[in-house]
CSV table of all heavy atoms in Angstrom, one decimal:
chain,number,residue,atom,x,y,z
A,223,LEU,N,-20.9,-22.2,-11.8
A,223,LEU,CA,-19.5,-22.4,-11.3
A,223,LEU,C,-19.4,-22.1,-9.8
A,223,LEU,O,-18.6,-22.7,-9.1
A,223,LEU,CB,-18.5,-21.5,-12.1
A,223,LEU,CG,-18.2,-22.0,-13.5
A,223,LEU,CD1,-17.4,-20.9,-14.2
A,223,LEU,CD2,-17.5,-23.3,-13.5
A,224,ARG,N,-20.2,-21.1,-9.3
A,224,ARG,CA,-20.0,-20.8,-7.8
A,224,ARG,C,-20.6,-21.9,-6.9
A,224,ARG,O,-20.4,-21.9,-5.7
A,224,ARG,CB,-20.6,-19.4,-7.6
A,224,ARG,CG,-22.0,-19.4,-7.0
A,224,ARG,CD,-22.5,-18.2,-6.5
A,224,ARG,NE,-23.9,-18.3,-6.4
A,224,ARG,CZ,-24.8,-17.3,-6.3
A,224,ARG,NH1,-24.3,-16.1,-6.1
A,224,ARG,NH2,-26.1,-17.5,-6.2
A,225,THR,N,-21.5,-22.7,-7.5
A,225,THR,CA,-22.0,-23.8,-6.7
A,225,THR,C,-21.6,-25.1,-7.3
A,225,THR,O,-22.4,-25.9,-7.9
A,225,THR,CB,-23.6,-23.7,-6.6
A,225,THR,OG1,-23.9,-22.4,-6.0
A,225,THR,CG2,-24.2,-24.7,-5.7
A,226,HIS,N,-20.3,-25.4,-7.2
A,226,HIS,CA,-19.8,-26.7,-7.6
A,226,HIS,C,-19.8,-27.1,-9.1
A,226,HIS,O,-19.3,-28.1,-9.5
A,226,HIS,CB,-20.5,-27.9,-6.8
A,226,HIS,CG,-20.5,-27.6,-5.3
A,226,HIS,ND1,-19.4,-27.9,-4.5
A,226,HIS,CD2,-21.5,-27.1,-4.5
A,226,HIS,CE1,-19.8,-27.6,-3.3
A,226,HIS,NE2,-21.0,-27.1,-3.3
A,227,GLY,N,-20.5,-26.3,-9.9
A,227,GLY,CA,-20.8,-26.7,-11.3
A,227,GLY,C,-22.1,-27.4,-11.4
A,227,GLY,O,-22.4,-28.0,-12.4
A,228,ILE,N,-22.9,-27.3,-10.3
A,228,ILE,CA,-24.2,-27.9,-10.3
A,228,ILE,C,-25.3,-27.0,-10.7
A,228,ILE,O,-25.4,-25.8,-10.4
A,228,ILE,CB,-24.5,-28.4,-8.8
A,228,ILE,CG1,-23.6,-29.6,-8.5
A,228,ILE,CG2,-26.0,-28.7,-8.6
A,228,ILE,CD1,-23.7,-30.0,-7.0
A,229,THR,N,-26.3,-27.6,-11.5
A,229,THR,CA,-27.5,-26.8,-11.8
A,229,THR,C,-28.7,-27.7,-11.5
A,229,THR,O,-28.7,-28.9,-11.6
A,229,THR,CB,-27.5,-26.4,-13.3
A,229,THR,OG1,-28.7,-25.7,-13.5
A,229,THR,CG2,-27.5,-27.6,-14.2
A,230,ASN,N,-29.8,-27.0,-11.0
A,230,ASN,CA,-31.1,-27.7,-10.8
A,230,ASN,C,-32.2,-27.0,-11.7
A,230,ASN,O,-33.3,-27.3,-11.5
A,230,ASN,CB,-31.5,-27.7,-9.3
A,230,ASN,CG,-31.5,-26.3,-8.8
A,230,ASN,OD1,-31.5,-25.3,-9.5
A,230,ASN,ND2,-31.6,-26.2,-7.4
A,231,LYS,N,-31.7,-26.2,-12.7
A,231,LYS,CA,-32.6,-25.5,-13.6
A,231,LYS,C,-32.8,-26.4,-14.8
A,231,LYS,O,-31.9,-26.6,-15.6
A,231,LYS,CB,-32.1,-24.2,-14.0
A,231,LYS,CG,-32.2,-23.1,-12.9
A,231,LYS,CD,-32.0,-21.7,-13.5
A,231,LYS,CE,-30.7,-21.1,-13.0
A,231,LYS,NZ,-30.3,-19.9,-13.8
A,232,PRO,N,-34.1,-26.9,-15.1
A,232,PRO,CA,-34.3,-27.7,-16.2
A,232,PRO,C,-33.7,-27.2,-17.5
A,232,PRO,O,-33.2,-27.9,-18.3
A,232,PRO,CB,-35.8,-27.9,-16.3
A,232,PRO,CG,-36.2,-27.7,-14.8
A,232,PRO,CD,-35.3,-26.7,-14.3
A,233,GLY,N,-33.8,-25.9,-17.7
A,233,GLY,CA,-33.3,-25.3,-18.9
A,233,GLY,C,-31.8,-25.4,-19.1
A,233,GLY,O,-31.3,-25.3,-20.2
A,234,ASP,N,-31.1,-25.7,-18.0
A,234,ASP,CA,-29.6,-25.8,-18.0
A,234,ASP,C,-29.2,-27.3,-18.1
A,234,ASP,O,-28.0,-27.5,-18.2
A,234,ASP,CB,-29.1,-25.3,-16.7
A,234,ASP,CG,-28.6,-23.9,-16.8
A,234,ASP,OD1,-28.6,-23.3,-17.9
A,234,ASP,OD2,-28.1,-23.3,-15.8
A,235,PHE,N,-30.1,-28.2,-18.1
A,235,PHE,CA,-29.7,-29.6,-18.1
A,235,PHE,C,-29.1,-30.0,-19.5
A,235,PHE,O,-29.5,-29.4,-20.5
A,235,PHE,CB,-30.9,-30.6,-17.8
A,235,PHE,CG,-31.4,-30.4,-16.4
A,235,PHE,CD1,-32.7,-30.9,-16.0
A,235,PHE,CD2,-30.5,-29.9,-15.4
A,235,PHE,CE1,-33.1,-30.7,-14.7
A,235,PHE,CE2,-31.0,-29.8,-14.1
A,235,PHE,CZ,-32.3,-30.2,-13.7
A,236,THR,N,-28.2,-30.9,-19.4
A,236,THR,CA,-27.5,-31.4,-20.6
A,236,THR,C,-27.4,-32.9,-20.7
A,236,THR,O,-27.3,-33.5,-19.6
A,236,THR,CB,-26.1,-30.7,-20.7
A,236,THR,OG1,-25.4,-31.1,-21.9
A,236,THR,CG2,-25.2,-31.1,-19.5
A,237,PRO,N,-27.5,-33.5,-21.8
A,237,PRO,CA,-27.2,-35.0,-21.9
A,237,PRO,C,-25.8,-35.2,-21.6
A,237,PRO,O,-24.9,-34.3,-21.8
A,237,PRO,CB,-27.6,-35.3,-23.3
A,237,PRO,CG,-28.0,-34.1,-24.0
A,237,PRO,CD,-27.7,-32.9,-23.1
A,238,PRO,N,-25.3,-36.4,-21.2
A,238,PRO,CA,-26.2,-37.6,-21.0
A,238,PRO,C,-27.0,-37.4,-19.6
A,238,PRO,O,-26.4,-37.0,-18.6
A,238,PRO,CB,-25.2,-38.7,-20.9
A,238,PRO,CG,-24.0,-38.1,-20.4
A,238,PRO,CD,-23.9,-36.7,-20.9
A,239,TYR,N,-28.3,-37.8,-19.7
A,239,TYR,CA,-29.1,-37.8,-18.5
A,239,TYR,C,-28.8,-39.1,-17.7
A,239,TYR,O,-28.1,-40.0,-18.2
A,239,TYR,CB,-30.6,-37.7,-18.9
A,239,TYR,CG,-30.9,-36.4,-19.5
A,239,TYR,CD1,-31.3,-36.4,-20.9
A,239,TYR,CD2,-30.7,-35.2,-18.9
A,239,TYR,CE1,-31.6,-35.2,-21.5
A,239,TYR,CE2,-31.0,-34.0,-19.5
A,239,TYR,CZ,-31.4,-34.0,-20.8
A,239,TYR,OH,-31.7,-32.8,-21.4
A,240,ASP,N,-29.5,-39.3,-16.6
A,240,ASP,CA,-29.3,-40.4,-15.7
A,240,ASP,C,-30.2,-41.6,-16.1
A,240,ASP,O,-30.3,-42.6,-15.4
A,240,ASP,CB,-29.4,-40.1,-14.3
A,240,ASP,CG,-30.8,-39.5,-14.0
A,240,ASP,OD1,-31.6,-39.4,-15.0
A,240,ASP,OD2,-31.1,-39.2,-12.9
A,241,GLY,N,-31.0,-41.4,-17.2
A,241,GLY,CA,-31.8,-42.5,-17.6
A,241,GLY,C,-33.2,-42.5,-17.0
A,241,GLY,O,-34.0,-43.3,-17.3
A,242,GLU,N,-33.4,-41.6,-16.0
A,242,GLU,CA,-34.7,-41.6,-15.3
A,242,GLU,C,-35.8,-41.0,-16.3
A,242,GLU,O,-35.6,-39.9,-16.8
A,242,GLU,CB,-34.7,-40.6,-14.1
A,242,GLU,CG,-34.0,-41.2,-12.9
A,242,GLU,CD,-34.2,-40.3,-11.7
A,242,GLU,OE1,-35.3,-40.0,-11.3
A,242,GLU,OE2,-33.1,-39.8,-11.2
A,243,PRO,N,-36.8,-41.7,-16.6
A,243,PRO,CA,-37.8,-41.2,-17.5
A,243,PRO,C,-38.6,-40.0,-16.9
A,243,PRO,O,-38.8,-39.0,-17.6
A,243,PRO,CB,-38.8,-42.4,-17.7
A,243,PRO,CG,-38.5,-43.3,-16.6
A,243,PRO,CD,-37.1,-43.1,-16.1
A,244,GLU,N,-38.8,-40.0,-15.6
A,244,GLU,CA,-39.5,-38.9,-15.0
A,244,GLU,C,-38.6,-38.4,-13.9
A,244,GLU,O,-38.3,-39.1,-12.9
A,244,GLU,CB,-40.8,-39.2,-14.4
A,244,GLU,CG,-41.9,-39.2,-15.4
A,244,GLU,CD,-43.3,-39.5,-14.8
A,244,GLU,OE1,-43.7,-38.8,-13.8
A,244,GLU,OE2,-43.8,-40.6,-15.2
A,245,ARG,N,-38.1,-37.2,-14.0
A,245,ARG,CA,-37.2,-36.6,-13.0
A,245,ARG,C,-37.9,-36.0,-11.9
A,245,ARG,O,-38.8,-35.2,-12.1
A,245,ARG,CB,-36.2,-35.6,-13.6
A,245,ARG,CG,-35.1,-36.2,-14.4
A,245,ARG,CD,-34.2,-35.2,-15.0
A,245,ARG,NE,-34.2,-35.4,-16.5
A,245,ARG,CZ,-34.4,-34.4,-17.3
A,245,ARG,NH1,-34.7,-33.2,-16.9
A,245,ARG,NH2,-34.4,-34.7,-18.6
A,246,GLY,N,-37.6,-36.4,-10.6
A,246,GLY,CA,-38.2,-35.9,-9.4
A,246,GLY,C,-37.7,-34.5,-9.1
A,246,GLY,O,-36.8,-34.0,-9.7
A,247,GLY,N,-38.2,-34.0,-8.1
A,247,GLY,CA,-37.9,-32.6,-7.6
A,247,GLY,C,-36.4,-32.5,-7.1
A,247,GLY,O,-35.9,-31.4,-7.0
A,248,TRP,N,-35.8,-33.7,-6.8
A,248,TRP,CA,-34.5,-33.7,-6.3
A,248,TRP,C,-33.4,-33.6,-7.4
A,248,TRP,O,-32.3,-33.4,-7.1
A,248,TRP,CB,-34.2,-35.1,-5.6
A,248,TRP,CG,-34.3,-36.2,-6.5
A,248,TRP,CD1,-33.3,-36.8,-7.3
A,248,TRP,CD2,-35.5,-37.0,-6.8
A,248,TRP,NE1,-33.8,-37.8,-8.0
A,248,TRP,CE2,-35.1,-38.0,-7.7
A,248,TRP,CE3,-36.8,-37.0,-6.3
A,248,TRP,CZ2,-36.1,-38.9,-8.2
A,248,TRP,CZ3,-37.7,-37.9,-6.8
A,248,TRP,CH2,-37.3,-38.9,-7.7
A,249,TYR,N,-33.9,-33.8,-8.7
A,249,TYR,CA,-32.9,-33.9,-9.8
A,249,TYR,C,-32.1,-32.7,-10.0
A,249,TYR,O,-32.5,-31.6,-10.0
A,249,TYR,CB,-33.7,-34.3,-11.1
A,249,TYR,CG,-32.7,-34.6,-12.2
A,249,TYR,CD1,-32.1,-35.9,-12.2
A,249,TYR,CD2,-32.4,-33.7,-13.2
A,249,TYR,CE1,-31.1,-36.2,-13.2
A,249,TYR,CE2,-31.5,-34.1,-14.2
A,249,TYR,CZ,-30.9,-35.3,-14.2
A,249,TYR,OH,-29.9,-35.6,-15.1
A,250,MET,N,-30.8,-32.9,-10.1
A,250,MET,CA,-29.9,-31.9,-10.5
A,250,MET,C,-28.7,-32.5,-11.2
A,250,MET,O,-28.6,-33.7,-11.2
A,250,MET,CB,-29.4,-31.1,-9.2
A,250,MET,CG,-28.9,-31.9,-8.1
A,250,MET,SD,-27.2,-32.4,-8.3
A,250,MET,CE,-26.8,-32.9,-6.6
A,251,GLN,N,-27.9,-31.7,-11.9
A,251,GLN,CA,-26.8,-32.2,-12.6
A,251,GLN,C,-25.5,-31.5,-12.2
A,251,GLN,O,-25.5,-30.3,-12.1
A,251,GLN,CB,-26.9,-32.0,-14.1
A,251,GLN,CG,-28.0,-32.8,-14.8
A,251,GLN,CD,-28.0,-32.7,-16.3
A,251,GLN,OE1,-27.5,-31.7,-16.8
A,251,GLN,NE2,-28.5,-33.6,-17.0
A,252,LEU,N,-24.4,-32.3,-12.1
A,252,LEU,CA,-23.1,-31.7,-12.0
A,252,LEU,C,-22.6,-31.6,-13.4
A,252,LEU,O,-22.2,-32.7,-14.0
A,252,LEU,CB,-22.1,-32.6,-11.1
A,252,LEU,CG,-20.7,-32.1,-11.1
A,252,LEU,CD1,-20.5,-30.8,-10.3
A,252,LEU,CD2,-19.8,-33.2,-10.5
A,253,ARG,N,-22.6,-30.4,-14.0
A,253,ARG,CA,-22.3,-30.3,-15.4
A,253,ARG,C,-20.8,-30.2,-15.7
A,253,ARG,O,-20.3,-30.5,-16.8
A,253,ARG,CB,-23.0,-29.1,-16.0
A,253,ARG,CG,-24.4,-29.4,-16.4
A,253,ARG,CD,-25.0,-28.3,-17.3
A,253,ARG,NE,-24.2,-28.0,-18.4
A,253,ARG,CZ,-24.5,-27.2,-19.4
A,253,ARG,NH1,-25.6,-26.5,-19.3
A,253,ARG,NH2,-23.7,-26.9,-20.4
A,254,GLU,N,-20.1,-29.6,-14.7
A,254,GLU,CA,-18.7,-29.3,-14.9
A,254,GLU,C,-18.1,-29.1,-13.5
A,254,GLU,O,-18.8,-29.0,-12.5
A,254,GLU,CB,-18.5,-28.1,-15.7
A,254,GLU,CG,-19.0,-26.8,-15.0
A,254,GLU,CD,-19.0,-25.6,-15.9
A,254,GLU,OE1,-18.0,-25.3,-16.6
A,254,GLU,OE2,-20.1,-24.9,-15.9
A,255,LEU,N,-16.7,-29.0,-13.4
A,255,LEU,CA,-16.1,-28.9,-12.1
A,255,LEU,C,-16.1,-27.4,-11.7
A,255,LEU,O,-15.5,-26.6,-12.3
A,255,LEU,CB,-14.7,-29.4,-12.2
A,255,LEU,CG,-14.0,-29.6,-10.9
A,255,LEU,CD1,-14.7,-30.7,-10.0
A,255,LEU,CD2,-12.5,-30.0,-11.1
A,256,GLY,N,-16.9,-27.2,-10.7
A,256,GLY,CA,-17.0,-25.8,-10.1
A,256,GLY,C,-16.5,-25.8,-8.7
A,256,GLY,O,-15.8,-26.7,-8.3
A,257,TYR,N,-16.8,-24.8,-7.9
A,257,TYR,CA,-16.3,-24.6,-6.6
A,257,TYR,C,-17.5,-24.3,-5.6
A,257,TYR,O,-18.6,-23.9,-6.1
A,257,TYR,CB,-15.3,-23.5,-6.5
A,257,TYR,CG,-14.0,-23.9,-7.3
A,257,TYR,CD1,-13.9,-23.8,-8.6
A,257,TYR,CD2,-13.0,-24.5,-6.6
A,257,TYR,CE1,-12.8,-24.2,-9.3
A,257,TYR,CE2,-11.8,-24.9,-7.3
A,257,TYR,CZ,-11.7,-24.7,-8.6
A,257,TYR,OH,-10.6,-25.1,-9.3
A,258,ASN,N,-17.2,-24.3,-4.3
A,258,ASN,CA,-18.2,-23.7,-3.4
A,258,ASN,C,-17.7,-22.3,-3.1
A,258,ASN,O,-16.8,-22.2,-2.2
A,258,ASN,CB,-18.4,-24.6,-2.2
A,258,ASN,CG,-19.3,-23.9,-1.2
A,258,ASN,OD1,-19.8,-22.7,-1.4
A,258,ASN,ND2,-19.6,-24.5,-0.1
A,259,TYR,N,-18.1,-21.4,-3.8
A,259,TYR,CA,-17.7,-20.0,-3.7
A,259,TYR,C,-18.9,-19.1,-3.3
A,259,TYR,O,-19.0,-17.9,-3.7
A,259,TYR,CB,-17.0,-19.4,-5.0
A,259,TYR,CG,-15.6,-19.8,-5.2
A,259,TYR,CD1,-15.0,-19.7,-6.4
A,259,TYR,CD2,-14.8,-20.3,-4.1
A,259,TYR,CE1,-13.7,-20.0,-6.6
A,259,TYR,CE2,-13.5,-20.7,-4.3
A,259,TYR,CZ,-12.9,-20.5,-5.6
A,259,TYR,OH,-11.6,-20.8,-5.8
A,260,ARG,N,-19.8,-19.7,-2.6
A,260,ARG,CA,-21.0,-18.9,-2.2
A,260,ARG,C,-20.8,-17.9,-1.1
A,260,ARG,O,-19.9,-18.1,-0.2
A,260,ARG,CB,-22.1,-19.8,-1.8
A,260,ARG,CG,-22.7,-20.7,-2.9
A,260,ARG,CD,-23.9,-21.4,-2.4
A,260,ARG,NE,-23.6,-22.3,-1.3
A,260,ARG,CZ,-23.4,-23.6,-1.5
A,260,ARG,NH1,-23.4,-24.2,-2.7
A,260,ARG,NH2,-23.1,-24.4,-0.4
A,261,LEU,N,-21.5,-16.8,-1.1
A,261,LEU,CA,-21.6,-15.9,0.0
A,261,LEU,C,-22.6,-16.3,0.9
A,261,LEU,O,-23.6,-17.0,0.5
A,261,LEU,CB,-22.0,-14.5,-0.6
A,261,LEU,CG,-21.8,-13.2,0.2
A,261,LEU,CD1,-20.3,-13.0,0.4
A,261,LEU,CD2,-22.4,-12.0,-0.4
A,262,THR,N,-22.5,-16.1,2.2
A,262,THR,CA,-23.6,-16.4,3.2
A,262,THR,C,-24.6,-15.4,3.2
A,262,THR,O,-24.4,-14.2,2.8
A,262,THR,CB,-23.0,-16.6,4.6
A,262,THR,OG1,-22.6,-15.3,5.1
A,262,THR,CG2,-21.9,-17.6,4.7
A,263,ASP,N,-25.8,-15.7,3.7
A,263,ASP,CA,-26.9,-14.7,3.8
A,263,ASP,C,-26.6,-13.6,4.8
A,263,ASP,O,-27.0,-12.5,4.6
A,263,ASP,CB,-28.2,-15.4,4.1
A,263,ASP,CG,-29.4,-14.9,3.4
A,263,ASP,OD1,-29.3,-14.8,2.1
A,263,ASP,OD2,-30.4,-14.4,4.0
A,264,MET,N,-25.8,-13.9,5.8
A,264,MET,CA,-25.4,-12.9,6.8
A,264,MET,C,-24.6,-11.8,6.1
A,264,MET,O,-24.8,-10.6,6.3
A,264,MET,CB,-24.6,-13.5,7.9
A,264,MET,CG,-25.3,-14.3,8.9
A,264,MET,SD,-25.1,-16.1,8.5
A,264,MET,CE,-23.5,-16.4,9.1
A,265,GLN,N,-23.6,-12.3,5.3
A,265,GLN,CA,-22.7,-11.4,4.6
A,265,GLN,C,-23.5,-10.6,3.6
A,265,GLN,O,-23.2,-9.4,3.5
A,265,GLN,CB,-21.6,-12.2,3.9
A,265,GLN,CG,-20.6,-12.8,4.9
A,265,GLN,CD,-19.7,-13.8,4.2
A,265,GLN,OE1,-20.2,-14.7,3.4
A,265,GLN,NE2,-18.4,-13.8,4.5
A,266,ALA,N,-24.4,-11.2,2.9
A,266,ALA,CA,-25.2,-10.5,1.9
A,266,ALA,C,-26.0,-9.4,2.5
A,266,ALA,O,-26.2,-8.3,2.0
A,266,ALA,CB,-26.0,-11.4,1.1
Side-chain angles (χ1 to χ4, degrees):
L223 287 173
R224 99 169 159 194
T225 304
H226 309 277
I228 287 173
T229 181
N230 56 12
K231 284 195 248 163
D234 261 358
F235 291 159
T236 182
Y239 297 116
D240 58 359
E242 285 187 60
E244 276 181 61
R245 283 180 236 130
W248 64 85
Y249 187 74
M250 51 82 162
Q251 288 187 339
L252 176 70
R253 276 193 52 175
E254 64 190 313
L255 193 62
Y257 292 83
N258 177 356
Y259 278 167
R260 291 189 299 263
L261 195 68
T262 68
D263 219 55
M264 290 96 78
Q265 290 166 317

